[in-house]
Amino acid sequence: MRRFTLAAPAALALATFLTAVPAQAYDRPTALGPENCTATACHFDVPPGTYDVRIVLGGDEPSSTAVTGETRRSLLPETAVPAGRRVARSFTVNVRTPEGEPTGADGAAGLDLALGGAAPALADIRVTPARHARQIFLVGDSTVCDQPGDPYSAWGQQLPQFLRKGISVANYADSGESTVTYLQNPQLWATVQPQIRRGDLVLIQLAHNDKTTDEATYRANLETLVDGVRAEGGRPVLVTPIVRRWFNSDGTLNNGIALLVNGLGVDHPAVTRSVAAAKGVPLIDLTAKTKTLVETLGVEASKALYLYNEKRDNTHTSVHGATVYAGLVRDELIAQHLVPEGKVRVG
């Protein structure tokens, strides 16, 4: 059973959910605080936008707290604090409607945070509009999106926990999308592109649903996305798709199902690599990295990365797998100097 303590001076928020401060309160100098919290959650009545959150963890007893927000996004990894100590952490969060998948339900208005972990303890919290924050936009499919329900998760949903204040993730990945449908649907690319600002990163991973897309069209669609990002002053990053957990008898993944080669013979990772080279775009070769990891773990241990045990699903990831794969993306963001090292949580 989880224990929760709300340390003084934040104890004023215990018994009932107090009315949230309205959005117009941002005209005042005071940040929104713990009066908007119950024992396990916080709700801030703010309009869509980007917000900095400073949270102080700890209490009289040993505690261990994780923070998720909006549609199950991991915003702060579980953080242990010794008894009697306080630890401050900060992150930046994107608030939008719909709050999860762009073609999904609107979700609740405002910013919602959930306090989890083995023994959550909130001492204080402050929410303010972010100034000069950079966005990392995500363009992708169900292996990237903010999955709405357990046991599903995706690497884009887990990526925010690895980022510090000043960078937020705006996850516009959507289940079932191909490069064709992502460009056609006005809720997707036509919604993302106008929001891109100079210096924003746009990570693009689309392949799993391009099952009937020929090579020329797939290549042209990736080029359209790259050019569209650059037209807004953003920085496109092409990401090859995560592998499917589909083993050969010799324990390798050297087959079209695992490595995303469609029925027309289009090798999606190879085309993505080719476009990245031709357009001078940074590449995160997630296919190669996830292939190495899954093969190293082997048939049995790799099941935990996916939803094999729960759903016999070798495509979609568990929370554990999504977190591991998000860590691979984090490592590449650092290695390729795509984000300042001081803005990324490691370890």
Side-chain angles (χ1 to χ4, degrees):
M1 180 180 296
R2 289 176 174 172
R3 295 179 292 109
F4 179 91
T5 57
L6 186 62
L12 53 96
L14 272 179
T16 59
F17 185 88
L18 301 182
T19 303
V21 179
Q24 53 265 36
Y26 278 114
D27 294 333
R28 308 171 192 167
T30 305
L32 300 183
E35 67 275 7
N36 296 279
C37 298
T38 65
T40 58
C42 300
H43 173 77
F44 301 93
D45 185 14
V46 297
T50 306
Y51 296 89
D52 290 331
V53 178
R54 182 180 187 274
I55 189 166
V56 181
L57 305 174
D60 294 336
E61 302 294 328
S63 63
S64 186
T65 310
V67 181
T68 58
E70 300 295 86
T71 303
R72 303 175 62 239
R73 297 181 221 157
S74 293
L75 299 172
L76 188 70
E78 189 155 353
T79 302
V81 182
R85 297 281 300 277
R86 303 290 185 271
V87 170
R89 295 287 186 268
S90 297
F91 54 85
T92 301
V93 60
N94 173 255
V95 177
R96 61 182 184 273
T97 303
E99 69 177 27
E101 294 182 87
T103 63
D106 283 354
L111 170 60
D112 287 287
L113 303 176
L115 306 168
L122 173 67
D124 193 21
I125 189 168
R126 297 285 179 243
V127 175
T128 55
R131 308 298 183 192
H132 312 298
R134 290 289 175 87
Q135 300 276 22
I136 297 179
F137 289 93
L138 303 182
V139 169
D141 54 31
S142 59
T143 65
V144 185
C145 73
D146 286 346
Q147 288 281 357
D150 286 328
Y152 294 88
S153 188
W155 66 257
Q157 196 166 24
Q158 299 298 327
L159 184 61
Q161 66 183 298
F162 294 115
L163 301 172
R164 300 181 187 275
K165 176 184 174 183
I167 300 180
S168 73
V169 174
N171 191 347
Y172 281 86
D174 196 72
S175 293
E177 306 299 340
S178 66
T179 57
V180 176
T181 60
Y182 203 94
L183 286 167
Q184 289 176 342
N185 191 329
Q187 294 174 281
L188 300 173
W189 182 238
T191 297
V192 174
Q193 187 180 9
Q195 299 183 63
I196 300 169
R197 299 291 179 264
R198 183 165 300 278
D200 288 341
L201 286 181
V202 183
L203 274 56
I204 302 164
Q205 185 217 278
L206 286 165
H208 282 84
N209 300 300
D210 279 279
K211 298 172 184 176
T212 61
T213 309
D214 63 77
E215 182 169 338
T217 301
Y218 184 67
R219 179 182 299 273
N221 288 344
L222 291 180
E223 291 173 344
T224 296
L225 290 166
V226 166
D227 292 343
V229 173
R230 285 176 165 168
E232 305 299 332
R235 296 186 292 163
V237 179
L238 289 176
V239 183
T240 59
I242 67 169
V243 295
R244 292 189 177 98
R245 184 191 161 275
W246 200 271
F247 282 93
N248 297 325
S249 59
D250 63 358
T252 68
L253 300 179
N254 295 319
N255 60 77
I257 294 174
L259 300 181
L260 284 297
V261 179
N262 75 8
L264 301 177
V266 180
D267 186 331
H268 295 104
V271 175
T272 303
R273 296 178 190 116
S274 174
V275 172
K279 303 287 283 186
V281 174
L283 175 76
I284 296 178
D285 199 342
L286 207 49
T287 305
K289 291 185 173 298
T290 56
K291 178 179 184 291
T292 297
L293 176 59
V294 171
E295 287 180 340
T296 300
L297 289 173
V299 174
E300 289 303 316
S302 64
K303 290 177 179 178
L305 295 173
Y306 292 82
L307 294 175
Y308 179 86
N309 294 323
E310 300 86 350
K311 302 284 186 178
R312 295 297 187 267
D313 186 335
N314 291 307
T315 297
H316 298 97
T317 48
S318 62
V319 170
H320 167 67
T323 304
V324 171
Y325 287 177
L328 297 177
V329 175
R330 179 270 316 271
D331 293 346
E332 283 298 297
L333 293 175
I334 294 173
Q336 298 191 42
H337 307 289
L338 295 170
V339 296
E341 193 166 344
K343 293 293 185 181
V344 182
R345 291 190 176 92
V346 294

